[in-house]
């Protein structure tokens, strides 16, 4: 479910850059949803980090040897997701522009 918002935002971002259009309210709503998803990613990062640091508390249990490498890979993937989400926000701001809806009606030609 989270990837649908990502792919939707990336498609809208690509389309706006390609067609040289300004940001619209639908794009803003997708970006706000990505802010919420970014909070989930940060939470999951710290959750995984706390699990990895609590590894030593379970010395009497049978834990596979791949626990630490897979945990580090998951941490790196969460860091990558966080960085790429922030990079998408930066690209939207740089390439598409800020959300300015006050002059949205100024660009409408009522005779067309």
């Amino acid at each position: 479910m989270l990837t649908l918002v990502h792919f939707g935002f990336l498609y809208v971002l690509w389309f706006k850059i390609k067609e040289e259009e300004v940001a619209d309210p639908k794009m803003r709503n997708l970006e706000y949803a990505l802010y919420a998803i970014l909070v989930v990613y940060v939470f999951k990062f710290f959750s995984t980090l706390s699990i990895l640091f609590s590894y030593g508390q379970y010395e009497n249990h049978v834990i596979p040897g791949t626990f630490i490498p897979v945990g580090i890979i998951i941490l790196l993937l969460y860091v990558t997701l966080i960085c790429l989400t922030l990079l998408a926000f930066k690209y939207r701001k740089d390439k598409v522009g800020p959300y300015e809806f006050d002059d949205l009606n100024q660009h409408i030609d009522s005779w067309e």
Side-chain angles (χ1 to χ4, degrees), residues 22-25 28 92 96-105 107:
V22 296
D24 58 356
R28 180 193 61 193
R92 191 272 313 157
V96 177
Y99 295 117
E100 295 178 1
F101 301 122
D102 293 338
D103 67 341
L104 188 62
N105 294 330
H107 300 291

Side-chain angles (χ1 to χ4, degrees), residues 11 17 67 75 79 96 98:
Y11 174 75
I17 292 172
F67 180 77
L75 278 178
V79 168
V96 177

